[in-house]
mmCIF file of all heavy atoms in Angstrom:
data_model
loop_
_atom_site.group_PDB
_atom_site.id
_atom_site.type_symbol
_atom_site.label_atom_id
_atom_site.label_comp_id
_atom_site.label_asym_id
_atom_site.label_seq_id
_atom_site.Cartn_x
_atom_site.Cartn_y
_atom_site.Cartn_z
ATOM 1 N N ILE A 1393 4.742 -5.894 19.878
ATOM 2 C CA ILE A 1393 4.519 -5.966 18.430
ATOM 3 C C ILE A 1393 3.697 -7.195 18.066
ATOM 4 O O ILE A 1393 2.609 -7.092 17.499
ATOM 5 C CB ILE A 1393 5.862 -5.972 17.675
ATOM 6 C CG1 ILE A 1393 6.657 -4.695 18.013
ATOM 7 C CG2 ILE A 1393 5.627 -6.074 16.175
ATOM 8 C CD1 ILE A 1393 8.033 -4.642 17.378
ATOM 9 N N GLU A 1394 4.194 -8.371 18.399
ATOM 10 C CA GLU A 1394 3.537 -9.616 17.980
ATOM 11 C C GLU A 1394 2.167 -9.807 18.649
ATOM 12 O O GLU A 1394 1.170 -10.112 17.973
ATOM 13 C CB GLU A 1394 4.448 -10.803 18.299
ATOM 14 C CG GLU A 1394 3.916 -12.131 17.779
ATOM 15 C CD GLU A 1394 4.872 -13.274 18.078
ATOM 16 O OE1 GLU A 1394 5.330 -13.376 19.243
ATOM 17 O OE2 GLU A 1394 5.159 -14.059 17.156
ATOM 18 N N PHE A 1395 2.108 -9.619 19.972
ATOM 19 C CA PHE A 1395 0.840 -9.858 20.682
ATOM 20 C C PHE A 1395 -0.270 -8.902 20.215
ATOM 21 O O PHE A 1395 -1.388 -9.359 19.901
ATOM 22 C CB PHE A 1395 1.055 -9.753 22.189
ATOM 23 C CG PHE A 1395 -0.176 -10.063 22.988
ATOM 24 C CD1 PHE A 1395 -0.623 -11.367 23.134
ATOM 25 C CD2 PHE A 1395 -0.907 -9.044 23.590
ATOM 26 C CE1 PHE A 1395 -1.769 -11.654 23.867
ATOM 27 C CE2 PHE A 1395 -2.053 -9.317 24.318
ATOM 28 C CZ PHE A 1395 -2.489 -10.626 24.454
ATOM 29 N N PRO A 1396 -0.016 -7.587 20.110
ATOM 30 C CA PRO A 1396 -1.071 -6.695 19.603
ATOM 31 C C PRO A 1396 -1.483 -7.013 18.168
ATOM 32 O O PRO A 1396 -2.660 -6.876 17.805
ATOM 33 C CB PRO A 1396 -0.450 -5.302 19.710
ATOM 34 C CG PRO A 1396 0.577 -5.428 20.776
ATOM 35 C CD PRO A 1396 1.130 -6.811 20.628
ATOM 36 N N PHE A 1397 -0.531 -7.443 17.356
ATOM 37 C CA PHE A 1397 -0.846 -7.780 15.957
ATOM 38 C C PHE A 1397 -1.849 -8.925 15.889
ATOM 39 O O PHE A 1397 -2.884 -8.846 15.216
ATOM 40 C CB PHE A 1397 0.454 -8.141 15.235
ATOM 41 C CG PHE A 1397 0.277 -8.448 13.770
ATOM 42 C CD1 PHE A 1397 0.341 -7.450 12.821
ATOM 43 C CD2 PHE A 1397 0.049 -9.761 13.345
ATOM 44 C CE1 PHE A 1397 0.187 -7.734 11.471
ATOM 45 C CE2 PHE A 1397 -0.116 -10.051 12.005
ATOM 46 C CZ PHE A 1397 -0.043 -9.032 11.060
ATOM 47 N N PHE A 1398 -1.558 -10.010 16.606
ATOM 48 C CA PHE A 1398 -2.461 -11.159 16.563
ATOM 49 C C PHE A 1398 -3.755 -10.903 17.335
ATOM 50 O O PHE A 1398 -4.810 -11.445 16.986
ATOM 51 C CB PHE A 1398 -1.745 -12.414 17.064
ATOM 52 C CG PHE A 1398 -0.780 -12.974 16.061
ATOM 53 C CD1 PHE A 1398 0.583 -12.944 16.296
ATOM 54 C CD2 PHE A 1398 -1.238 -13.522 14.873
ATOM 55 C CE1 PHE A 1398 1.473 -13.459 15.353
ATOM 56 C CE2 PHE A 1398 -0.363 -14.036 13.932
ATOM 57 C CZ PHE A 1398 0.998 -14.002 14.171
ATOM 58 N N SER A 1399 -3.678 -10.076 18.377
ATOM 59 C CA SER A 1399 -4.908 -9.720 19.094
ATOM 60 C C SER A 1399 -5.882 -9.019 18.158
ATOM 61 O O SER A 1399 -7.098 -9.258 18.201
ATOM 62 C CB SER A 1399 -4.582 -8.819 20.283
ATOM 63 O OG SER A 1399 -3.893 -9.531 21.286
ATOM 64 N N TYR A 1400 -5.344 -8.160 17.293
ATOM 65 C CA TYR A 1400 -6.214 -7.426 16.371
ATOM 66 C C TYR A 1400 -6.746 -8.332 15.260
ATOM 67 O O TYR A 1400 -7.951 -8.377 14.991
ATOM 68 C CB TYR A 1400 -5.460 -6.249 15.761
ATOM 69 C CG TYR A 1400 -6.292 -5.463 14.769
ATOM 70 C CD1 TYR A 1400 -7.276 -4.583 15.203
ATOM 71 C CD2 TYR A 1400 -6.109 -5.633 13.394
ATOM 72 C CE1 TYR A 1400 -8.062 -3.889 14.302
ATOM 73 C CE2 TYR A 1400 -6.888 -4.934 12.484
ATOM 74 C CZ TYR A 1400 -7.860 -4.061 12.941
ATOM 75 O OH TYR A 1400 -8.635 -3.384 12.048
ATOM 76 N N TYR A 1401 -5.850 -9.082 14.621
ATOM 77 C CA TYR A 1401 -6.267 -9.852 13.446
ATOM 78 C C TYR A 1401 -6.971 -11.161 13.785
ATOM 79 O O TYR A 1401 -7.709 -11.694 12.950
ATOM 80 C CB TYR A 1401 -5.062 -10.103 12.537
ATOM 81 C CG TYR A 1401 -4.709 -8.881 11.733
ATOM 82 C CD1 TYR A 1401 -3.594 -8.110 12.043
ATOM 83 C CD2 TYR A 1401 -5.511 -8.470 10.668
ATOM 84 C CE1 TYR A 1401 -3.278 -6.976 11.322
ATOM 85 C CE2 TYR A 1401 -5.210 -7.333 9.941
ATOM 86 C CZ TYR A 1401 -4.090 -6.594 10.274
ATOM 87 O OH TYR A 1401 -3.809 -5.457 9.557
ATOM 88 N N LEU A 1402 -6.767 -11.666 14.989
ATOM 89 C CA LEU A 1402 -7.444 -12.911 15.370
ATOM 90 C C LEU A 1402 -8.631 -12.690 16.304
ATOM 91 O O LEU A 1402 -9.580 -13.480 16.299
ATOM 92 C CB LEU A 1402 -6.453 -13.872 16.029
ATOM 93 C CG LEU A 1402 -5.275 -14.344 15.171
ATOM 94 C CD1 LEU A 1402 -4.419 -15.328 15.955
ATOM 95 C CD2 LEU A 1402 -5.750 -14.977 13.868
ATOM 96 N N LYS A 1403 -8.568 -11.598 17.092
ATOM 97 C CA LYS A 1403 -9.640 -11.389 18.070
ATOM 98 C C LYS A 1403 -10.294 -10.009 17.967
ATOM 99 O O LYS A 1403 -11.118 -9.653 18.818
ATOM 100 C CB LYS A 1403 -9.092 -11.594 19.484
ATOM 101 C CG LYS A 1403 -8.620 -13.032 19.739
ATOM 102 C CD LYS A 1403 -8.247 -13.247 21.196
ATOM 103 C CE LYS A 1403 -7.882 -14.705 21.456
ATOM 104 N NZ LYS A 1403 -7.566 -14.951 22.887
ATOM 105 N N ALA A 1404 -9.896 -9.221 16.950
ATOM 106 C CA ALA A 1404 -10.477 -7.895 16.722
ATOM 107 C C ALA A 1404 -10.320 -6.982 17.933
ATOM 108 O O ALA A 1404 -11.192 -6.143 18.215
ATOM 109 C CB ALA A 1404 -11.946 -8.015 16.330
ATOM 110 N N LYS A 1405 -9.212 -7.101 18.636
ATOM 111 C CA LYS A 1405 -8.935 -6.235 19.776
ATOM 112 C C LYS A 1405 -7.855 -5.233 19.408
ATOM 113 O O LYS A 1405 -6.877 -5.581 18.748
ATOM 114 C CB LYS A 1405 -8.488 -7.076 20.977
ATOM 115 C CG LYS A 1405 -9.573 -7.981 21.543
ATOM 116 C CD LYS A 1405 -9.072 -8.735 22.767
ATOM 117 C CE LYS A 1405 -10.171 -9.620 23.356
ATOM 118 N NZ LYS A 1405 -9.700 -10.363 24.565
ATOM 119 N N GLY A 1406 -8.026 -3.991 19.828
ATOM 120 C CA GLY A 1406 -7.072 -2.944 19.493
ATOM 121 C C GLY A 1406 -7.525 -2.158 18.289
ATOM 122 O O GLY A 1406 -8.564 -2.428 17.684
ATOM 123 N N ASP A 1407 -6.725 -1.135 17.924
ATOM 124 C CA ASP A 1407 -7.122 -0.239 16.830
ATOM 125 C C ASP A 1407 -6.560 -0.646 15.477
ATOM 126 O O ASP A 1407 -6.931 -0.082 14.450
ATOM 127 C CB ASP A 1407 -6.727 1.203 17.149
ATOM 128 C CG ASP A 1407 -5.220 1.352 17.393
ATOM 129 O OD1 ASP A 1407 -4.450 0.435 17.043
ATOM 130 O OD2 ASP A 1407 -4.819 2.402 17.933
ATOM 131 N N GLY A 1408 -5.650 -1.616 15.439
ATOM 132 C CA GLY A 1408 -5.112 -2.074 14.161
ATOM 133 C C GLY A 1408 -4.213 -1.072 13.468
ATOM 134 O O GLY A 1408 -3.938 -1.213 12.273
ATOM 135 N N LYS A 1409 -3.724 -0.079 14.190
ATOM 136 C CA LYS A 1409 -2.853 0.930 13.573
ATOM 137 C C LYS A 1409 -1.395 0.513 13.761
ATOM 138 O O LYS A 1409 -0.786 0.750 14.796
ATOM 139 C CB LYS A 1409 -3.107 2.296 14.205
ATOM 140 C CG LYS A 1409 -4.505 2.840 13.919
ATOM 141 C CD LYS A 1409 -4.698 4.217 14.560
ATOM 142 C CE LYS A 1409 -6.089 4.756 14.255
ATOM 143 N NZ LYS A 1409 -6.310 6.091 14.886
ATOM 144 N N PHE A 1410 -0.874 -0.109 12.736
ATOM 145 C CA PHE A 1410 0.506 -0.588 12.770
ATOM 146 C C PHE A 1410 1.329 0.120 11.692
ATOM 147 O O PHE A 1410 0.805 0.442 10.627
ATOM 148 C CB PHE A 1410 0.555 -2.100 12.533
ATOM 149 C CG PHE A 1410 -0.277 -2.896 13.505
ATOM 150 C CD1 PHE A 1410 -1.449 -3.517 13.099
ATOM 151 C CD2 PHE A 1410 0.113 -3.018 14.825
ATOM 152 C CE1 PHE A 1410 -2.214 -4.258 13.992
ATOM 153 C CE2 PHE A 1410 -0.646 -3.750 15.723
ATOM 154 C CZ PHE A 1410 -1.807 -4.371 15.308
ATOM 155 N N PRO A 1411 2.604 0.349 11.942
ATOM 156 C CA PRO A 1411 3.444 0.959 10.908
ATOM 157 C C PRO A 1411 3.741 -0.036 9.795
ATOM 158 O O PRO A 1411 3.572 -1.252 9.965
ATOM 159 C CB PRO A 1411 4.719 1.319 11.670
ATOM 160 C CG PRO A 1411 4.785 0.310 12.772
ATOM 161 C CD PRO A 1411 3.358 0.057 13.176
ATOM 162 N N LYS A 1412 4.180 0.470 8.652
ATOM 163 C CA LYS A 1412 4.614 -0.418 7.567
ATOM 164 C C LYS A 1412 5.891 -1.159 7.948
ATOM 165 O O LYS A 1412 6.100 -2.299 7.545
ATOM 166 C CB LYS A 1412 4.834 0.382 6.285
ATOM 167 C CG LYS A 1412 3.573 0.949 5.671
ATOM 168 C CD LYS A 1412 2.695 -0.154 5.117
ATOM 169 C CE LYS A 1412 1.478 0.428 4.399
ATOM 170 N NZ LYS A 1412 0.589 -0.624 3.865
ATOM 171 N N ALA A 1413 6.740 -0.477 8.710
ATOM 172 C CA ALA A 1413 8.003 -1.088 9.134
ATOM 173 C C ALA A 1413 8.288 -0.700 10.574
ATOM 174 O O ALA A 1413 8.136 0.465 10.962
ATOM 175 C CB ALA A 1413 9.143 -0.646 8.227
ATOM 176 N N TRP A 1414 8.683 -1.673 11.355
ATOM 177 C CA TRP A 1414 9.021 -1.476 12.770
ATOM 178 C C TRP A 1414 10.396 -2.104 12.939
ATOM 179 O O TRP A 1414 10.546 -3.327 12.903
ATOM 180 C CB TRP A 1414 7.990 -2.174 13.638
ATOM 181 C CG TRP A 1414 7.804 -1.606 15.018
ATOM 182 C CD1 TRP A 1414 8.730 -0.988 15.790
ATOM 183 C CD2 TRP A 1414 6.602 -1.639 15.785
ATOM 184 N NE1 TRP A 1414 8.192 -0.623 16.995
ATOM 185 C CE2 TRP A 1414 6.881 -1.005 17.026
ATOM 186 C CE3 TRP A 1414 5.319 -2.140 15.556
ATOM 187 C CZ2 TRP A 1414 5.929 -0.863 18.019
ATOM 188 C CZ3 TRP A 1414 4.376 -1.998 16.569
ATOM 189 C CH2 TRP A 1414 4.661 -1.368 17.782
ATOM 190 N N VAL A 1415 11.428 -1.296 13.086
ATOM 191 C CA VAL A 1415 12.802 -1.815 13.056
ATOM 192 C C VAL A 1415 13.579 -1.364 14.290
ATOM 193 O O VAL A 1415 13.342 -0.281 14.839
ATOM 194 C CB VAL A 1415 13.554 -1.367 11.777
ATOM 195 C CG1 VAL A 1415 12.811 -1.807 10.533
ATOM 196 C CG2 VAL A 1415 13.760 0.139 11.752
ATOM 197 N N PHE A 1416 14.509 -2.212 14.704
ATOM 198 C CA PHE A 1416 15.404 -1.857 15.803
ATOM 199 C C PHE A 1416 16.671 -1.271 15.205
ATOM 200 O O PHE A 1416 17.352 -1.909 14.392
ATOM 201 C CB PHE A 1416 15.743 -3.074 16.660
ATOM 202 C CG PHE A 1416 16.522 -2.722 17.897
ATOM 203 C CD1 PHE A 1416 15.876 -2.223 19.011
ATOM 204 C CD2 PHE A 1416 17.899 -2.881 17.933
ATOM 205 C CE1 PHE A 1416 16.588 -1.883 20.161
ATOM 206 C CE2 PHE A 1416 18.623 -2.550 19.072
ATOM 207 C CZ PHE A 1416 17.971 -2.049 20.188
ATOM 208 N N GLN A 1417 16.978 -0.045 15.592
ATOM 209 C CA GLN A 1417 18.128 0.684 15.072
ATOM 210 C C GLN A 1417 19.327 0.433 15.975
ATOM 211 O O GLN A 1417 19.436 0.979 17.066
ATOM 212 C CB GLN A 1417 17.787 2.172 15.007
ATOM 213 C CG GLN A 1417 18.886 3.070 14.501
ATOM 214 C CD GLN A 1417 18.460 4.532 14.557
ATOM 215 O OE1 GLN A 1417 17.278 4.850 14.662
ATOM 216 N NE2 GLN A 1417 19.422 5.425 14.486
ATOM 217 N N THR A 1418 20.222 -0.453 15.533
ATOM 218 C CA THR A 1418 21.420 -0.733 16.311
ATOM 219 C C THR A 1418 22.349 0.477 16.271
ATOM 220 O O THR A 1418 22.241 1.345 15.421
ATOM 221 C CB THR A 1418 22.135 -1.986 15.776
ATOM 222 O OG1 THR A 1418 22.322 -1.860 14.359
ATOM 223 C CG2 THR A 1418 21.313 -3.237 16.047
ATOM 224 N N GLY A 1419 23.272 0.522 17.185
ATOM 225 C CA GLY A 1419 24.114 1.715 17.326
ATOM 226 C C GLY A 1419 23.464 2.713 18.259
ATOM 227 O O GLY A 1419 24.049 3.137 19.254
ATOM 228 N N MET A 1420 22.219 3.089 17.961
ATOM 229 C CA MET A 1420 21.431 3.943 18.849
ATOM 230 C C MET A 1420 20.617 3.119 19.839
ATOM 231 O O MET A 1420 20.128 3.633 20.836
ATOM 232 C CB MET A 1420 20.492 4.832 18.036
ATOM 233 C CG MET A 1420 21.206 5.823 17.140
ATOM 234 S SD MET A 1420 22.212 7.011 18.054
ATOM 235 C CE MET A 1420 20.940 8.024 18.794
ATOM 236 N N ASN A 1421 20.419 1.838 19.503
ATOM 237 C CA ASN A 1421 19.677 0.911 20.360
ATOM 238 C C ASN A 1421 18.279 1.432 20.691
ATOM 239 O O ASN A 1421 17.913 1.621 21.856
ATOM 240 C CB ASN A 1421 20.459 0.614 21.646
ATOM 241 C CG ASN A 1421 21.673 -0.254 21.391
ATOM 242 O OD1 ASN A 1421 21.804 -0.857 20.323
ATOM 243 N ND2 ASN A 1421 22.580 -0.311 22.346
ATOM 244 N N GLN A 1422 17.487 1.647 19.629
ATOM 245 C CA GLN A 1422 16.127 2.114 19.806
ATOM 246 C C GLN A 1422 15.234 1.562 18.695
ATOM 247 O O GLN A 1422 15.706 1.265 17.597
ATOM 248 C CB GLN A 1422 16.069 3.648 19.786
ATOM 249 C CG GLN A 1422 16.535 4.274 18.472
ATOM 250 C CD GLN A 1422 16.584 5.783 18.516
ATOM 251 O OE1 GLN A 1422 16.371 6.399 19.554
ATOM 252 N NE2 GLN A 1422 16.880 6.398 17.392
ATOM 253 N N TRP A 1423 13.945 1.406 18.999
ATOM 254 C CA TRP A 1423 12.970 0.985 18.001
ATOM 255 C C TRP A 1423 12.499 2.197 17.205
ATOM 256 O O TRP A 1423 12.300 3.269 17.755
ATOM 257 C CB TRP A 1423 11.779 0.303 18.677
ATOM 258 C CG TRP A 1423 12.082 -1.075 19.191
ATOM 259 C CD1 TRP A 1423 12.436 -1.429 20.454
ATOM 260 C CD2 TRP A 1423 12.057 -2.289 18.426
ATOM 261 N NE1 TRP A 1423 12.641 -2.791 20.537
ATOM 262 C CE2 TRP A 1423 12.409 -3.354 19.305
ATOM 263 C CE3 TRP A 1423 11.774 -2.589 17.089
ATOM 264 C CZ2 TRP A 1423 12.483 -4.676 18.894
ATOM 265 C CZ3 TRP A 1423 11.853 -3.912 16.679
ATOM 266 C CH2 TRP A 1423 12.197 -4.940 17.561
ATOM 267 N N ARG A 1424 12.309 2.003 15.895
ATOM 268 C CA ARG A 1424 11.810 3.067 15.020
ATOM 269 C C ARG A 1424 10.638 2.540 14.204
ATOM 270 O O ARG A 1424 10.617 1.376 13.799
ATOM 271 C CB ARG A 1424 12.915 3.532 14.057
ATOM 272 C CG ARG A 1424 14.120 4.167 14.719
ATOM 273 C CD ARG A 1424 13.867 5.602 15.147
ATOM 274 N NE ARG A 1424 13.548 6.463 14.025
ATOM 275 C CZ ARG A 1424 14.471 7.098 13.265
ATOM 276 N NH1 ARG A 1424 15.757 6.915 13.503
ATOM 277 N NH2 ARG A 1424 14.097 7.893 12.282
ATOM 278 N N ARG A 1425 9.648 3.405 13.951
ATOM 279 C CA ARG A 1425 8.493 3.071 13.130
ATOM 280 C C ARG A 1425 8.521 3.918 11.864
ATOM 281 O O ARG A 1425 8.812 5.107 11.912
ATOM 282 C CB ARG A 1425 7.194 3.341 13.888
ATOM 283 C CG ARG A 1425 7.072 2.659 15.232
ATOM 284 C CD ARG A 1425 5.713 2.944 15.831
ATOM 285 N NE ARG A 1425 5.604 2.493 17.217
ATOM 286 C CZ ARG A 1425 4.462 2.350 17.848
ATOM 287 N NH1 ARG A 1425 3.321 2.635 17.228
ATOM 288 N NH2 ARG A 1425 4.428 1.933 19.095
ATOM 289 N N PHE A 1426 8.189 3.292 10.732
ATOM 290 C CA PHE A 1426 8.188 3.993 9.450
ATOM 291 C C PHE A 1426 6.942 3.631 8.653
ATOM 292 O O PHE A 1426 6.428 2.510 8.746
ATOM 293 C CB PHE A 1426 9.432 3.630 8.633
ATOM 294 C CG PHE A 1426 10.732 4.024 9.287
ATOM 295 C CD1 PHE A 1426 11.509 3.073 9.942
ATOM 296 C CD2 PHE A 1426 11.167 5.333 9.249
ATOM 297 C CE1 PHE A 1426 12.700 3.433 10.549
ATOM 298 C CE2 PHE A 1426 12.366 5.704 9.855
ATOM 299 C CZ PHE A 1426 13.133 4.749 10.507
ATOM 300 N N ASP A 1427 6.482 4.580 7.833
ATOM 301 C CA ASP A 1427 5.328 4.350 6.962
ATOM 302 C C ASP A 1427 5.734 3.730 5.632
ATOM 303 O O ASP A 1427 4.877 3.369 4.823
ATOM 304 C CB ASP A 1427 4.585 5.663 6.708
ATOM 305 C CG ASP A 1427 3.930 6.191 7.980
ATOM 306 O OD1 ASP A 1427 3.544 5.359 8.818
ATOM 307 O OD2 ASP A 1427 3.832 7.426 8.127
ATOM 308 N N ALA A 1428 7.036 3.628 5.381
ATOM 309 C CA ALA A 1428 7.548 3.002 4.155
ATOM 310 C C ALA A 1428 8.939 2.477 4.453
ATOM 311 O O ALA A 1428 9.625 2.952 5.363
ATOM 312 C CB ALA A 1428 7.588 4.000 3.004
ATOM 313 N N TRP A 1429 9.348 1.473 3.668
ATOM 314 C CA TRP A 1429 10.709 0.920 3.820
ATOM 315 C C TRP A 1429 11.302 0.622 2.455
ATOM 316 O O TRP A 1429 10.638 0.018 1.638
ATOM 317 C CB TRP A 1429 10.674 -0.369 4.654
ATOM 318 C CG TRP A 1429 12.068 -0.849 4.946
ATOM 319 C CD1 TRP A 1429 12.781 -1.788 4.257
ATOM 320 C CD2 TRP A 1429 12.934 -0.359 5.973
ATOM 321 N NE1 TRP A 1429 14.029 -1.933 4.791
ATOM 322 C CE2 TRP A 1429 14.145 -1.056 5.847
ATOM 323 C CE3 TRP A 1429 12.812 0.606 6.967
ATOM 324 C CZ2 TRP A 1429 15.228 -0.822 6.690
ATOM 325 C CZ3 TRP A 1429 13.884 0.829 7.811
ATOM 326 C CH2 TRP A 1429 15.081 0.114 7.673
ATOM 327 N N PRO A 1430 12.538 1.114 2.231
ATOM 328 C CA PRO A 1430 13.328 1.973 3.102
ATOM 329 C C PRO A 1430 12.655 3.337 3.285
ATOM 330 O O PRO A 1430 11.924 3.785 2.392
ATOM 331 C CB PRO A 1430 14.655 2.116 2.347
ATOM 332 C CG PRO A 1430 14.687 1.006 1.365
ATOM 333 C CD PRO A 1430 13.267 0.749 1.003
ATOM 334 N N PRO A 1431 12.870 4.000 4.401
ATOM 335 C CA PRO A 1431 12.216 5.290 4.624
ATOM 336 C C PRO A 1431 12.724 6.344 3.640
ATOM 337 O O PRO A 1431 13.923 6.389 3.336
ATOM 338 C CB PRO A 1431 12.602 5.638 6.064
ATOM 339 C CG PRO A 1431 13.830 4.839 6.347
ATOM 340 C CD PRO A 1431 13.704 3.587 5.547
ATOM 341 N N PRO A 1432 11.832 7.199 3.137
ATOM 342 C CA PRO A 1432 12.245 8.226 2.173
ATOM 343 C C PRO A 1432 13.303 9.192 2.714
ATOM 344 O O PRO A 1432 14.031 9.810 1.927
ATOM 345 C CB PRO A 1432 10.935 8.968 1.872
ATOM 346 C CG PRO A 1432 9.857 7.985 2.188
ATOM 347 C CD PRO A 1432 10.375 7.187 3.345
ATOM 348 N N VAL A 1433 13.398 9.303 4.041
ATOM 349 C CA VAL A 1433 14.399 10.210 4.613
ATOM 350 C C VAL A 1433 15.818 9.694 4.420
ATOM 351 O O VAL A 1433 16.784 10.443 4.581
ATOM 352 C CB VAL A 1433 14.135 10.440 6.116
ATOM 353 C CG1 VAL A 1433 12.821 11.169 6.328
ATOM 354 C CG2 VAL A 1433 14.154 9.118 6.888
ATOM 355 N N ALA A 1434 15.956 8.403 4.083
ATOM 356 C CA ALA A 1434 17.283 7.818 3.882
ATOM 357 C C ALA A 1434 17.694 8.007 2.421
ATOM 358 O O ALA A 1434 17.158 7.351 1.530
ATOM 359 C CB ALA A 1434 17.279 6.341 4.260
ATOM 360 N N LYS A 1435 18.628 8.913 2.182
ATOM 361 C CA LYS A 1435 19.036 9.274 0.831
ATOM 362 C C LYS A 1435 20.312 8.524 0.422
ATOM 363 O O LYS A 1435 21.242 8.374 1.232
ATOM 364 C CB LYS A 1435 19.292 10.777 0.741
ATOM 365 C CG LYS A 1435 18.117 11.642 1.206
ATOM 366 C CD LYS A 1435 16.879 11.418 0.360
ATOM 367 C CE LYS A 1435 15.740 12.343 0.804
ATOM 368 N NZ LYS A 1435 14.492 12.085 0.034
ATOM 369 N N PRO A 1436 20.377 8.049 -0.839
ATOM 370 C CA PRO A 1436 21.590 7.362 -1.301
ATOM 371 C C PRO A 1436 22.826 8.243 -1.167
ATOM 372 O O PRO A 1436 22.839 9.390 -1.644
ATOM 373 C CB PRO A 1436 21.269 7.056 -2.768
ATOM 374 C CG PRO A 1436 19.772 7.025 -2.838
ATOM 375 C CD PRO A 1436 19.315 8.066 -1.865
ATOM 376 N N THR A 1437 23.841 7.721 -0.515
ATOM 377 C CA THR A 1437 25.100 8.431 -0.305
ATOM 378 C C THR A 1437 26.235 7.461 -0.614
ATOM 379 O O THR A 1437 26.284 6.364 -0.067
ATOM 380 C CB THR A 1437 25.219 8.920 1.153
ATOM 381 O OG1 THR A 1437 24.087 9.747 1.464
ATOM 382 C CG2 THR A 1437 26.497 9.702 1.362
ATOM 383 N N THR A 1438 27.142 7.870 -1.476
ATOM 384 C CA THR A 1438 28.193 6.969 -1.958
ATOM 385 C C THR A 1438 29.512 7.225 -1.242
ATOM 386 O O THR A 1438 29.916 8.374 -1.034
ATOM 387 C CB THR A 1438 28.388 7.129 -3.474
ATOM 388 O OG1 THR A 1438 27.166 6.795 -4.146
ATOM 389 C CG2 THR A 1438 29.489 6.218 -3.989
ATOM 390 N N VAL A 1439 30.168 6.133 -0.858
ATOM 391 C CA VAL A 1439 31.536 6.193 -0.367
ATOM 392 C C VAL A 1439 32.403 5.402 -1.345
ATOM 393 O O VAL A 1439 31.971 4.395 -1.904
ATOM 394 C CB VAL A 1439 31.671 5.633 1.062
ATOM 395 C CG1 VAL A 1439 31.084 6.595 2.073
ATOM 396 C CG2 VAL A 1439 31.037 4.267 1.198
ATOM 397 N N PHE A 1440 33.629 5.870 -1.530
ATOM 398 C CA PHE A 1440 34.495 5.343 -2.584
ATOM 399 C C PHE A 1440 35.716 4.656 -1.986
ATOM 400 O O PHE A 1440 36.311 5.156 -1.021
ATOM 401 C CB PHE A 1440 34.961 6.480 -3.499
ATOM 402 C CG PHE A 1440 33.847 7.215 -4.182
ATOM 403 C CD1 PHE A 1440 33.217 8.292 -3.565
ATOM 404 C CD2 PHE A 1440 33.419 6.835 -5.448
ATOM 405 C CE1 PHE A 1440 32.181 8.981 -4.194
ATOM 406 C CE2 PHE A 1440 32.384 7.514 -6.085
ATOM 407 C CZ PHE A 1440 31.768 8.584 -5.452
#
């Protein structure tokens, strides 16, 4: 994440295609990429 980001913006290397949000999802222990944050797929759900 960090190295490709700076390679692109400081040295113009790479395609510069980065997600709006790059998050590590604990519990599942995996990285996820999203075009918006919070992602629209996450719907408000109330617990009482």
Side-chain angles (χ1 to χ4, degrees):
I1393 301 177
E1394 186 178 48
F1395 183 75
F1397 183 89
F1398 285 112
S1399 291
Y1400 179 76
Y1401 283 106
L1402 298 182
K1403 296 187 176 182
K1405 293 183 179 180
D1407 58 15
K1409 294 181 179 179
F1410 304 109
K1412 292 291 185 181
W1414 206 329
V1415 303
F1416 187 80
Q1417 179 183 342
T1418 51
M1420 296 298 288
N1421 289 346
Q1422 62 185 6
W1423 287 96
R1424 296 282 299 273
R1425 305 183 189 196
F1426 298 102
D1427 293 329
W1429 187 264
V1433 295
K1435 306 298 183 183
T1437 303
T1438 299
V1439 287
F1440 300 87

